[in-house]
């Protein structure tokens, strides 16, 4: 019962078949028909002119930063965003940009603060090169950043002619969560990165989407990073299945996350803000058990339940295709036993 992340999902049988029979060519020459189909499909689904297949969410986000910005630019982002917290400082190391984190509320930055933080013309200042948003927001527990918040920030950005990039690693969870097409979100971003290898269950890859001219330049940055790949139709094929057939299924993960949250909240010493569980991530406060994160996770592991530490006294559980309703019940029984 592996709740560490939705990244642990394995490819479906259909994906494996598609990999075995995928038509391939040299993608650096633009000749892999399966990659081309995936990129066209992703652009269409995300409501953008073009898309680029990249190896990971991190690569997609970093190619976006590199393409939008020049060294010395400033990137505005939320203080607990993945790009700021969990990408090894790549934006500074690779693009040479300065990141400027703004405090968020459930993953959402305050548009007024964003407006204030955008730089005016002054010889001392860096240029404001990019604003990054994240939806769903991982660190706050899979929260859906409201469309209205995204719209307000996008309007300010357009006024100041600063581009907006959306880290939509789990954007389809957000769309399914509010029963809207994914374009309801992407209309408020110039570029978007979506992971195929999380809840959508593909074994690898993300797509980065934007205008044709942006994607042309992004392709060059991907090449510079050593991401120009060859007969990659074999790994793009499951990505097509991910986009065509795995999206609606995410609703099940959200139901299972709620179930898990309710079950955890009923266990002595554990606290969960159940109403805050909007998608497939559950944050559990374990401080009432008087166990350290390590001790708690060790005890769970002995009952075959895996999760990850997020903050001191906070453990993250993520539901996904391989966590069935009975897995949730069994995990809850195991956790109860582990804490006796
Ligand atoms: N997140 C992983 C870990 O890196 C924390 C996880 O298990 O949740 N954006 C967001 C919002 C993400 O949550 C992740 C992965 C990424 C980008 C990066 O994707 P990958 O792992 O494909 O580079």
């Amino acid at each position: 019962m592996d709740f560490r992340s939705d990244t642990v999902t394995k490819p479906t049988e259909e994906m494996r078949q598609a990999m075995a029979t995928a038509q391939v060519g040299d993608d650096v020459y633009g000749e892999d028909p399966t990659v081309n189909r995936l990129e066209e499909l992703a652009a269409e689904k995300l409501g953008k002119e073009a898309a680029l297949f990249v190896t990971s969410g991190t690569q997609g986000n970093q190619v976006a930063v590199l393409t939008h910005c020049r060294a010395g630019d400033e990137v505005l982002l939320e203080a607990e965003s993945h790009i700021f917290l969990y990408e090894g400082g790549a934006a500074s190391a690779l693009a040479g940009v300065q990141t400027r984190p703004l405090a968020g509320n459930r993953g959402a930055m305050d548009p007024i603060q964003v407006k204030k933080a955008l730089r005016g013309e002054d010889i001392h200042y860096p240029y404001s090169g990019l604003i990054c948003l994240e939806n769903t927001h991982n660190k706050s527990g899979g929260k859906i950043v409201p469309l209205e918040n995204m719209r307000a920030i996008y309007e300010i950005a357009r006024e100041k002619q600063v581009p907006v990039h959306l880290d939509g690693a789990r954007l389809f969870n957000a769309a399914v969560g509010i029963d809207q097409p994914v374009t309801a979100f992407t209309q408020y971003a110039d570029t978007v990165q979506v992971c195929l290898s999380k809840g959508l269950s593909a074994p690898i890859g993300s797509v980065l989407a934007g205008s044709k001219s942006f994607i042309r330049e992004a392709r060059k940055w991907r090449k510079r990073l050593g991401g120009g790949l060859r007969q990659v139709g074999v790994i793009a094929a499951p990505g097509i299945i991910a986009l065509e057939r795995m999206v609606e299924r995410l609703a099940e993960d959200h139901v299972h996350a709620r179930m898990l949250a309710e079950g955890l909240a009923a266990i002595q010493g554990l606290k969960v803000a159940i109403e805050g569980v909007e998608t497939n991530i559950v944050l559990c406060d374990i401080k009432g058990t008087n166990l350290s994160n390590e001790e708690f996770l060790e005890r769970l592991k002995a009952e075959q339940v895996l999760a990850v530490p997020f903050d001191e006294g906070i453990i993250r559980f993520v539901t996904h295709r391989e966590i069935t309703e009975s897995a949730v019940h069994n995990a809850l029984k195991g956790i109860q036993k582990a804490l006796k």
Side-chain angles (χ1 to χ4, degrees):
M1 293 167 282
D2 193 344
F3 292 90
R4 285 174 304 170
S5 185
D6 43 12
T7 58
V8 303
T9 46
K10 300 192 182 69
T12 63
E13 207 37 57
E14 190 188 8
M15 287 178 175
R16 288 181 186 272
Q17 281 303 320
M19 291 172 84
T21 56
Q23 279 192 308
V24 296
D26 191 327
D27 182 48
V28 174
Y29 292 125
E31 289 173 4
D32 189 302
T34 310
V35 173
N36 292 343
R37 221 174 98 220
L38 171 64
E39 292 180 344
E40 278 160 28
L41 178 66
E44 185 198 315
K45 296 248 179 220
L46 296 169
K48 299 293 174 202
E49 285 175 6
L52 180 70
F53 184 42
V54 292
T55 53
S56 66
T58 302
Q59 191 180 63
N61 286 335
Q62 294 306 323
V63 166
V65 173
L66 284 157
T67 309
H68 281 298
C69 300
R70 291 201 311 185
D73 282 359
E74 185 168 70
V75 175
L76 290 187
L77 34 58
E78 198 273 335
E80 298 211 303
S81 62
H82 196 277
I83 295 177
F84 185 64
L85 276 188
Y86 293 127
E87 299 190 4
S92 307
L94 305 177
V97 296
Q98 163 170 304
T99 46
R100 178 150 173 215
L102 299 182
N105 175 20
R106 300 157 60 95
M109 291 184 284
D110 178 351
I112 296 169
Q113 296 304 320
V114 172
K115 192 170 186 170
K116 274 193 191 156
L118 287 172
R119 307 284 190 170
E121 268 301 314
D122 185 309
I123 195 165
H124 303 89
Y125 290 159
Y127 293 112
S128 294
L130 181 65
I131 300 171
C132 293
L133 307 177
E134 181 176 316
N135 215 350
T136 62
H137 188 269
N138 184 355
K139 194 71 199 288
S140 65
K143 296 284 187 299
I144 302 170
V145 174
L147 285 171
E148 180 45 37
N149 177 266
M150 287 186 61
R151 192 192 60 74
I153 292 176
Y154 192 53
E155 239 169 47
I156 292 163
R158 291 190 79 159
E159 206 176 289
K160 299 269 183 181
Q161 300 188 332
V162 177
V164 173
H165 171 68
L166 172 59
D167 176 358
R170 297 186 179 85
L171 190 64
F172 283 105
N173 291 85
V176 166
I178 59 164
D179 201 16
Q180 290 275 334
V182 83
T183 47
F185 295 96
T186 59
Q187 67 177 320
Y188 301 129
D190 298 290
T191 59
V192 55
Q193 179 278 121
V194 171
C195 288
L196 304 169
S197 67
K198 296 195 163 63
L200 301 183
S201 302
I204 185 171
S206 277
V207 281
L208 174 63
S211 69
K212 274 191 187 147
S213 59
F214 174 87
I215 292 299
R216 200 177 310 120
E217 200 49 32
R219 198 175 286 283
K220 185 134 185 136
W221 271 112
R222 186 189 65 173
K223 186 78 177 87
R224 288 185 180 119
L225 296 176
L229 304 175
R230 304 296 180 178
Q231 288 74 26
V232 270
V234 287
I235 55 172
I240 293 172
I241 295 171
L243 288 178
E244 283 185 332
R245 289 206 261 292
M246 304 301 280
V247 172
E248 278 165 34
R249 196 210 55 75
L250 295 172
E252 290 167 25
D253 300 346
H254 300 178
V255 171
H256 294 157
R258 274 268 168 163
M259 261 176 206
L260 178 73
E262 281 162 16
L264 289 170
I267 297 174
Q268 188 154 17
L270 302 184
K271 271 199 227 154
V272 179
I274 297 168
E275 64 296 340
V277 179
E278 298 178 358
T279 57
N280 68 330
I281 300 181
V282 178
L283 298 185
C284 181
D285 183 330
I286 66 157
K287 293 181 201 96
T289 63
N290 290 321
L291 296 171
S292 68
N293 282 354
E294 294 69 30
E295 289 164 339
F296 180 84
L297 290 172
E298 269 310 304
R299 288 204 193 182
L300 262 56
K301 199 171 174 187
E303 299 299 328
Q304 275 82 50
V305 179
L306 301 179
V308 287
F310 233 33
D311 270 324
E312 198 46 52
I314 304 289
I315 301 296
R316 183 185 78 162
F317 294 81
V318 184
T319 55
H320 50 79
R321 189 173 53 82
E322 288 159 37
I323 298 289
T324 58
E325 186 174 338
S326 67
V328 171
H329 292 307
N330 289 338
L332 287 167
K333 270 190 221 148
I335 297 168
Q336 227 152 4
K337 198 168 150 218
L339 297 179
K340 270 207 183 117

